[in-house]
């Protein structure tokens, strides 16, 4: 992961793009790229969208991850640690006994 982030930051810095990459704009870019990914699914079922747009989906997912990893780097967020902590929080909110096979939000599971 560190090598990947280093490559992303090097690419950005070689082009002097850090000036455009403040946290707000990176967060906006994540949202915009996510919307572009969603657009590939519009008016299709999941399999049709994948069959017709797989290559574009790969690119949009890459864009989302690039912006996300750049934001994490700039905010000094350890991505691995953040993910593991979030999984632990989710495990508390969604115990297996209550949530297995359910799509309900944790607030509904614990009623």
């Amino acid at each position: 992961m560190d090598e990947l982030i280093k490559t992303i930051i090097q690419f950005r810095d070689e082009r002097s793009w850090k000036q455009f990459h403040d946290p707000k704009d990176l967060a906006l870019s994540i949202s915009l790229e996510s919307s572009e990914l969603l657009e590939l699914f519009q008016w299709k079922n999941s399999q049709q969208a994948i069959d017709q747009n797989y290559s574009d989906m790969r690119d949009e997912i890459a864009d989302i991850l690039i912006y996300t990893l750049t934001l994490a780097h700039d905010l000094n967020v350890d991505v691995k640690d953040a993910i593991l902590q979030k999984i632990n929080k989710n495990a508390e909110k969604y115990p297996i006994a209550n949530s297995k096979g359910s799509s309900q939000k944790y607030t509904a599971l614990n009623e």
Side-chain angles (χ1 to χ4, degrees):
M1 182 69 71
D2 290 339
E3 191 63 33
L4 179 60
I5 293 170
K6 181 180 174 185
T7 300
I8 292 167
I9 299 306
Q10 180 180 347
F11 179 90
R12 176 192 71 183
D13 291 350
E14 287 172 345
R15 288 155 182 80
S16 298
W17 288 350
K18 186 168 181 14
Q19 62 184 318
F20 309 116
H21 286 182
D22 62 77
K24 174 201 61 98
D25 287 318
L26 288 169
L28 281 167
S29 295
I30 294 165
S31 179
L32 293 169
E33 295 298 338
S34 296
S35 294
E36 290 178 16
L37 177 61
L38 281 171
E39 187 175 25
L40 297 173
F41 286 94
Q42 189 175 26
W43 314 124
K44 302 168 189 76
N45 68 40
S46 290
Q47 194 57 55
Q48 288 171 328
I50 293 166
D51 291 345
Q52 294 172 16
N53 301 302
Y54 182 79
S55 179
D56 292 332
M57 288 176 183
R58 269 181 55 114
D59 288 345
E60 297 306 337
I61 291 168
D63 286 340
I64 294 162
L65 290 169
I66 289 167
Y67 285 129
T68 302
L69 292 173
T70 302
L71 180 59
H73 171 269
D74 291 354
L75 295 177
N76 294 313
V77 172
D78 180 316
V79 175
K80 180 180 176 183
D81 183 59
I83 290 171
L84 293 174
Q85 283 188 27
K86 184 60 177 174
I87 289 172
N88 287 333
K89 285 181 184 179
N90 287 345
E92 289 178 23
K93 290 196 279 190
Y94 295 95
I96 294 170
N98 295 357
S99 61
K100 190 169 187 172
S102 174
S103 63
Q104 289 185 312
K105 187 173 178 177
Y106 69 94
T107 51
L109 287 172
N110 298 320
E111 292 180 346

